[in-house]
Amino acid sequence: MRGNKMLSRKELNLPKYPEKIIQFGEGNFLRSFVDWQLDIINKNTDLNAGIAVVRPIDYDTVPLLHIQDGLYTSIIRGINEKGEVVKDYRIISSINREIPVYKEFDEYLKLAHNPEMRFIISNTTEAGIVYSDEDKYDDRPQNTFPAKLTRLLHERFNVFNGEVNKGFILMPCELIDYNGEELKKIVLKYADLWNLEEEFKNWLVNGNIWCSTLVDRIVTGYPRAEAADICAELGYEDNLIDTGEIFGFWVIEGPQSIKDEFPVDKADLPILIRS
């Protein structure tokens, strides 16, 4: 690609994977940590999972991720363990689209109707996993992330009649202790607040896997001062470039059976699934 061309799946012959992952949050950290790793997992295993990103807050200043066909360049750079300077460019193709939940609430709920959806990942900052008794079931959308999630999970429960095998593997990445357990506790609290069925509460506990996680990578985001030079080097325009440092580590606490569906061991990445 040369000149001022934009990123395009067709021109680069990049696939659009079937959507299996719902991601709350579109920020730099997720894009150069989780989405970067998912891109590698897709290319090295049979995961075959595309991401639908949910923008959990309402603002218009930043364009949706699918303006570039869902593609962007992640640049991981720094000094490795051997003292060598490393700069790795990767066009990330794991994201399919982004849904602004405040403007497209019905489209958001439709995510629950897709039988292939299996994973939920989030990073809504450490202040995101909170409870507010002002959130109502009929809000479009609810204010807090756990309330939005509860509404989505109840939609899933209703669409598939409480089938246990239609639950999710949830992997929140917010920087709080035991984030999965805390998220589950708050979702159950909303189920109580909204007087939802006991069957739904049982499904939340028994039909879903709530993993706690630990994440570590310094992500420096959009390289504003260098962007023009980088695009000239790349040979295409990219308004969503994301940069991060080399070191990264992701610990997922959950049953070892997760590896059957999330085959991180086959991708040679610093991801540890532990019971």
Side-chain angles (χ1 to χ4, degrees):
M1 300 175 68
R2 297 179 179 178
N4 294 321
K5 292 185 178 180
M6 301 294 289
L7 288 169
S8 161
R9 289 180 190 267
K10 182 178 180 181
E11 187 161 346
L12 292 170
N13 194 29
L14 290 172
K16 181 170 281 192
Y17 302 101
E19 287 182 356
K20 299 179 183 179
I21 302 169
I22 301 170
Q23 176 177 301
F24 288 86
E26 76 297 334
N28 291 322
F29 177 78
L30 282 177
R31 293 195 295 116
S32 270
F33 183 73
V34 171
D35 303 336
W36 176 84
Q37 295 187 84
L38 287 168
D39 187 77
I40 294 172
I41 296 170
N42 274 331
K43 289 179 170 61
N44 290 280
T45 77
D46 59 357
L47 179 64
N48 195 35
I51 304 168
V53 172
V54 177
R55 182 172 294 202
I57 58 177
D58 188 21
Y59 60 93
D60 299 312
T61 56
V62 180
L64 299 179
L65 294 174
H66 51 258
I67 62 166
Q68 296 178 169
D69 228 359
L71 305 174
Y72 63 94
T73 309
S74 180
I75 303 174
I76 305 301
R77 56 189 179 179
I79 299 175
N80 65 15
E81 294 176 350
K82 299 178 181 179
E84 302 166 331
V85 176
V86 176
K87 185 164 62 171
D88 177 65
Y89 292 75
R90 173 175 286 270
I91 295 175
I92 306 301
S93 60
S94 50
I95 293 176
N96 287 356
R97 58 187 174 128
E98 182 180 353
I99 298 171
V101 65
Y102 281 82
K103 295 176 175 61
E104 299 180 12
F105 186 71
D106 289 334
E107 193 66 26
Y108 165 68
L109 289 184
K110 285 180 184 177
L111 294 172
H113 297 219
N114 179 355
E116 291 195 60
M117 285 296 188
R118 180 56 172 157
F119 304 94
I120 294 178
I121 295 169
S122 66
N123 186 10
T124 55
T125 79
E126 60 273 17
I129 299 181
V130 294
Y131 173 80
S132 170
D133 59 12
E134 294 182 1
D135 277 312
K136 303 296 186 289
Y137 182 87
D138 293 328
D139 289 345
R140 297 176 59 85
Q142 296 73 26
N143 183 46
T144 68
F145 157 55
K148 293 183 182 76
L149 176 61
T150 306
R151 180 65 183 86
L152 184 76
L153 291 172
H154 193 243
E155 185 80 8
R156 181 77 164 190
F157 173 81
N158 286 332
V159 168
F160 293 101
N161 299 310
E163 290 183 36
V164 173
N165 64 356
K166 286 297 188 291
F168 293 101
I169 297 172
L170 297 99
M171 298 183 285
C173 297
E174 287 82 358
L175 296 177
I176 63 172
D177 291 340
Y178 301 103
N179 44 26
E181 286 298 314
E182 184 66 16
L183 182 58
K184 178 173 70 172
K185 182 175 74 174
I186 295 176
V187 166
L188 285 166
K189 198 170 180 179
Y190 277 115
D192 285 334
L193 176 69
W194 296 340
N195 296 313
L196 300 178
E197 308 95 317
E198 287 299 320
E199 293 83 359
F200 172 60
K201 297 173 192 176
N202 291 333
W203 179 82
L204 286 175
V205 174
N206 299 314
N208 297 270
I209 300 174
W210 302 80
C211 302
S212 289
T213 73
L214 174 66
V215 296
D216 189 4
R217 168 170 273 170
I218 294 174
V219 172
T220 45
Y222 183 71
R224 191 170 303 279
E226 309 168 73
D229 290 339
I230 289 173
C231 288
E233 180 183 354
L234 294 172
Y236 56 81
E237 294 296 317
D238 187 348
N239 296 311
L240 300 171
I241 296 170
D242 200 12
T243 62
E245 297 190 1
I246 294 172
F247 177 80
F249 196 53
W250 190 7
V251 180
I252 301 169
E253 191 173 74
Q256 291 299 302
S257 60
I258 292 173
K259 294 179 181 178
D260 295 336
E261 300 181 72
F262 197 58
V264 298
D265 290 353
K266 301 176 183 178
D268 191 27
L269 286 168
I271 303 175
L272 173 64
I273 296 177
R274 70 179 188 187
S275 302

